[in-house]
Amino acid sequence: MKAHSISPLCVILLLLAGAAQAGDWGDEGWSGFGELGAVVTRGNTDAETINAKTRVRYEEELWRHTLQLEALKRAEEGATTAERYLGNFKSDWKFRPREYLFGALRYENDRFSGYEYQASAAVGYGRRVIDTERTRLELEAGVGVRQSKVRDGERDDDTILRGAMFFERRLSETARFGQDLLVQAGQDNTEVESVTSLTAAINDRLAMRLSLTAKHNTDVPEDREKTDTITAVSLVYNFW
């Protein structure tokens, strides 16, 4: 997919941004959570799956910094069948009540995707389009560079267009729905990652989360699928 093919998304982002009203940001200081899900099967089939995530955020008057780490490993009959690691760091400069400029770094190593790694750096503009007591929506558009290395050793460097959406809806006092979407489009490959989640609080610190992650690459080796999905049920612990 060529880089200019994502231009309709950029137009939508700008139109939605223009419709927003002025507002405030979240609470300042530290926030974050740790998430862990594990499944162990014994008997006719021996299998183990571990899915771990963490996100830590520090927010102040003009800045917001977010670090996200993820790890997934699955083994069946002693053989590893899935292994994925992800690191993402983003800094936002809040130059207006609901507008910010961002810089983002992302590194992904998925052993069974056909890529040895995919790393990117991007900068751009973001806006909190909706900010009410029950609903929040942020949209981002930017440009960057990406380096990808496939398992056979070939490396590809290209320029990307980056679009992102972060949506959260409070369904009740204890339940909320979330939808995150990331698109990174370059000359040869477009990455799309969607994370859909439903979280139910148990108490102030603990919650249960059901999530569906879908990752799609338009260009993969012939023996690999273009789309991978991960369905997880996990326990979430809020640090602050």
Side-chain angles (χ1 to χ4, degrees):
M1 179 176 181
K2 294 185 181 299
H4 59 71
S5 63
I6 198 175
S7 56
L9 175 60
C10 296
V11 173
I12 293 172
L13 296 180
L14 293 174
L15 290 175
L16 288 175
Q21 303 295 321
D24 297 323
W25 289 79
D27 296 333
E28 296 183 7
W30 291 95
S31 63
F33 63 84
E35 181 178 340
L36 179 64
V39 177
V40 178
T41 303
R42 292 290 183 266
N44 292 320
T45 301
D46 291 342
E48 304 89 23
T49 301
I50 296 177
N51 183 39
K53 300 180 182 180
T54 185
R55 191 193 73 186
V56 178
R57 173 173 290 168
Y58 180 74
E59 188 160 341
E60 50 189 4
E61 183 179 0
L62 295 178
W63 290 93
R64 178 176 62 176
H65 309 288
T66 305
L67 174 66
Q68 178 182 346
L69 301 173
E70 299 182 10
L72 169 71
K73 187 169 185 179
R74 181 170 64 243
E76 298 180 10
E77 304 295 342
T80 300
T81 57
E83 189 172 5
R84 178 177 184 258
Y85 304 99
L86 173 69
N88 187 49
F89 179 77
K90 188 162 76 74
S91 286
D92 305 316
W93 174 47
K94 302 178 283 186
F95 66 96
R96 287 182 181 175
R98 283 197 182 182
E99 298 175 84
Y100 59 93
L101 299 178
F102 70 85
L105 300 174
R106 178 183 172 92
Y107 178 87
E108 181 180 7
N109 184 328
D110 189 339
R111 180 176 169 186
F112 294 89
S113 69
Y115 287 93
E116 185 171 329
Y117 66 82
Q118 291 175 289
S120 63
V123 295
Y125 166 84
R127 183 165 185 134
R128 181 168 287 179
V129 179
I130 302 174
D131 189 3
T132 67
E133 184 177 346
R134 299 180 66 88
T135 306
R136 284 189 175 184
L137 172 64
E138 290 186 18
L139 299 174
E140 295 179 354
V143 297
V145 293
R146 177 178 61 200
Q147 183 177 96
S148 305
K149 185 177 181 181
V150 296
R151 289 291 171 183
D152 62 9
E154 181 182 352
R155 197 179 74 178
D156 179 51
D157 299 324
D158 62 348
T159 302
I160 59 172
L161 292 179
R162 180 186 186 275
M165 178 189 77
F166 310 98
F167 175 79
E168 183 179 83
R169 172 71 175 178
R170 289 193 175 275
L171 305 177
S172 68
E173 292 298 320
T174 59
R176 66 181 186 271
F177 170 84
Q179 175 65 62
D180 295 346
L181 178 67
L182 173 67
V183 180
Q184 296 193 135
Q187 183 73 19
D188 300 319
N189 181 43
T190 295
E191 302 172 70
V192 181
E193 182 175 89
S194 169
V195 181
T196 306
S197 64
L198 181 63
T199 305
I202 300 172
N203 54 41
D204 291 341
R205 293 285 188 181
L206 292 175
M208 293 294 296
R209 178 170 294 160
L210 173 64
S211 65
L212 173 64
T213 301
K215 175 68 183 291
H216 179 81
N217 282 282
T218 60
D219 183 34
V220 297
E222 293 183 357
D223 61 338
R224 301 295 180 180
E225 297 289 339
K226 292 185 177 181
T227 302
D228 291 314
T229 61
I230 303 170
T231 303
V233 178
S234 52
L235 183 67
V236 181
Y237 179 80
N238 294 305
F239 299 139
W240 290 275

